[in-house]
Amino acid sequence: EAPPERVEVYDVSHTGNQEPVAGMIVFGPEGFQKNAYRRFTIKEGGADDTARMAETLARRFDRLKRKEGGGDPWPDLVLLDGGIGQLNAVLAVAEEKQVDGVRFCAIAKGPERHAGKERLFLPGGETPLILPMNSPVLFLLQKVRDEAHRSAITFHKKTKVKLDQQSKLLNTKGISPAKVQKLLDRKS
């Protein structure tokens, strides 16, 4: 009924199910709002991206509810990098958390993960919406999805590097776990 003023876009990143993280980017009429980006270290999400996405949005909705009136505004649209599974998992979380007034959509790459053949999944529909390849809406959705993907991958790489450094330091004779933490905190 009206263009969304605040779009939050979510993506999950991991390597071989290790150190899973999620990234959230925000897009609005002024473009990307980098100061509003958020990162999530997945704590419990299991070994599949559907559960990880659900955990991420449960934590996000909890935070928004706690900070109502004094924190980030609620999004008008939540865009998920994924398919119908991610969408249904997040819709279940939204219902459980009694989230109202937010629209949801999932965007999945097409066959062979071909960009330009993205499928959009909307609540209440099993059949995806496929926009024409030259659609300005598709181009915008690809752009914001790719930014969420970039943000999540960057956070995952930083997390992995820090854990690799921590592992090397812990295996060094004479360095205690407390000293390792001090060294890593100082480097950050």
Side-chain angles (χ1 to χ4, degrees):
E1 55 273 8
E5 292 292 315
R6 183 183 175 92
V7 179
E8 292 185 359
V9 188
Y10 295 84
D11 187 26
V12 171
S13 183
H14 57 85
T15 304
N17 286 326
Q18 296 181 346
E19 289 84 39
V21 299
M24 177 197 96
I25 65 110
V26 177
F27 186 82
E30 304 83 34
F32 292 108
Q33 299 171 12
K34 294 191 177 197
N35 62 335
Y37 286 17
R38 301 288 179 263
R39 301 180 292 191
F40 303 82
T41 301
I42 304 297
K43 297 176 180 175
E44 301 171 9
D48 71 275
D49 286 349
T50 300
R52 292 174 180 147
M53 190 69 80
E55 176 188 325
T56 300
L57 273 292
R59 290 169 52 196
R60 178 67 177 153
F61 295 150
D62 285 344
R63 181 179 176 90
L64 286 169
K65 283 191 175 276
R66 278 194 314 271
K67 304 272 182 168
E68 275 183 318
D72 291 341
W74 281 85
D76 299 306
L77 173 65
V78 168
L79 182 64
L80 309 168
D81 184 18
I84 192 74
Q86 282 85 350
L87 177 62
N88 286 335
V90 168
L91 289 173
V93 168
E95 184 177 337
E96 175 189 326
K97 304 286 183 184
Q98 300 177 341
V99 172
D100 293 319
V102 177
R103 291 174 280 176
F104 295 89
C105 178
I107 182 170
K109 287 190 178 168
E112 290 88 47
R113 300 183 55 78
H114 186 276
K117 297 198 178 194
E118 280 82 358
R119 297 166 293 147
L120 302 176
F121 295 91
L122 301 169
E126 290 294 320
T127 305
L129 173 65
I130 300 173
L131 297 174
M133 287 181 74
N134 62 351
S135 166
V137 172
L138 178 60
F139 178 72
L140 176 64
L141 292 173
Q142 289 170 327
K143 189 169 180 73
V144 296
R145 185 264 326 271
D146 291 348
E147 174 66 3
H149 190 65
R150 183 206 59 77
S151 178
I153 287 174
T154 300
F155 179 46
H156 179 258
K157 285 179 180 177
K158 287 180 181 178
T159 301
K160 194 159 174 36
V161 165
K162 187 173 181 178
L163 289 172
D164 288 347
Q165 289 173 338
Q166 183 178 26
S167 176
K168 287 176 185 172
L169 288 170
L170 284 172
N171 291 328
T172 304
K173 190 174 182 173
I175 299 181
S176 70
K179 184 68 172 178
V180 167
Q181 193 59 51
K182 282 184 183 178
L183 289 168
L184 289 174
D185 289 344
R186 188 174 204 182
K187 186 177 181 196
S188 295

